[in-house]
Amino acid sequence: MAPPTPVHPVDEVPPVRQLAAFGLQHVLAMYAGAVAVPLIVGGAMKLPAADLAYLITADLLVCGIATLIQCVGFWRFGVRLPIMQGCTFAAVSPMVMIGTTGGGLPAIYGSVIVAGLAIMLLAPVFGRLLRFFPPLVTGTVILIIGVSLMPVAGNWAAGGSGAADFGDPGNIGLAAFVLVVVLAVQRFAPVFLSRIAVLIGIAAGLAVAVPLGFTDFGGVADAGWVGISTPFHFGAPAFEASAIVSMLVVALVCMTETTGDFIAVGELTGRKAEPRSLADGLRADGLSTVLGGVFNTFPYTAFAQNVGLVGMTRVRSRWVVAAAGGMLVLLGLLPKLGAVVAAVPAPVLGGAGLVMFGTVAASGLRTLAEVDFKGNHNLTVVAVSLAVGLLPVGVPTVYDRFPDWFQTVMHSGISAGCLTAIVLNLLFNHLPARAGSTAGEPAGEPARSGTTPVTPGEAV
């Protein structure tokens, strides 16, 4: 008999108890980010508490469905990698503007549905762009993803944005305690426990936080047992031209960010994204966004928070993230369970986030280690891309006087840095150079970038 074909780690199905533990880690890592978008948009529109709660449960439900589509896949939908899906923050500003200038939620949902359809149509085009992502570009993008997430972890560690006790030493101390527990488990615990180090750290932090008064479970009693999202709960969608245009810009930003996340997870799991799988993943993003518009929620994209968890735990199975998707569906259908998860205090998540997001940045550095930086302009490509990508992270108001479409693109450090890296790589490593213009190399010798240079006259 022929030996059985080995199963790639991405396709392995762990035992049920491991699926549950690993999957819960992913849910906890993304929960705060997942509910933030409906809270921000609903709060800006001054929706009543009941409508806010409805938006959150609808969001969790579609988050779970979108994750299942992406991880499990069917036909030409789903990248089939361990990718968590969540509402994109790139859409927050346009949606707040649409919702507060007379269009309301129906105009938001109409533009979201059109944007989702556009993503599905454009997915094959983006799939063919994968050749413009050599290690020089992918490493830079992954590094920017990790570093741009650091303020998220910092805000959590300090108590959460807008918290009355933001920056209190007690919050920082709790986050530091969780970080120490995560590191200690990773270093000294058996292999299985080290892979759920984040879950153990969050559990330990929660055990300390409850008696010290950092959180309470009072909201659990008020939450309902069952909540089912029905299509077009807030009315039939309205299709307004200005709203649709702004959301199409968001769609392009989301596709760029998602491409970076797919490449990052592909590097971490040993199953690199290919043009077809990239197109399938983006098509799944589009379908999930259409579902978001139908089921009263917002555009969906890959969640960078969970990319770090994959790299840190080295658990590469897509079925683990699919299990997390199933848990999100339950949280969306059972609001009381969602209230339990929501009771985890921000500093606990912050301690875990520091190591997770740092892992993403370190993975980018590892990819860049494959790139030759001698005698070429590759260092310039990385330096400028990193600077452009981190500018809106360090100075969030830097583009506030620019047009809305420009803000939508450039306020996202990931999309800004990614676009910059692609353009500079084309400029320095693909366009024909004048004789003697390549620093440190004889005229006619191609620059080395980790990709095959294009000869003069060759189509790019």
Side-chain angles (χ1 to χ4, degrees), residues 41-48:
V41 175
M45 295 179 64
K46 297 180 171 54
L47 297 179

Side-chain angles (χ1 to χ4, degrees), residues 368-443:
L368 286 173
E370 304 172 10
V371 178
D372 186 359
F373 288 100
K374 295 179 181 178
N376 53 42
H377 296 288
N378 289 339
L379 194 63
T380 300
V381 175
V382 176
V384 176
S385 302
L386 193 62
V388 173
L390 296 185
L391 186 60
V393 177
V395 189
T397 58
V398 66
Y399 297 124
D400 280 2
R401 293 181 179 269
F402 284 75
D404 293 337
W405 67 266
F406 187 91
Q407 291 186 45
T408 300
V409 176
M410 299 302 290
H411 262 317
S412 167
I414 298 172
S415 63
C418 183
L419 292 172
T420 304
I422 292 172
V423 171
L424 292 181
N425 179 55
L426 289 173
L427 175 65
F428 286 114
N429 295 317
H430 284 265
L431 294 181
R434 290 175 299 175
S437 65
T438 303
E441 292 186 3

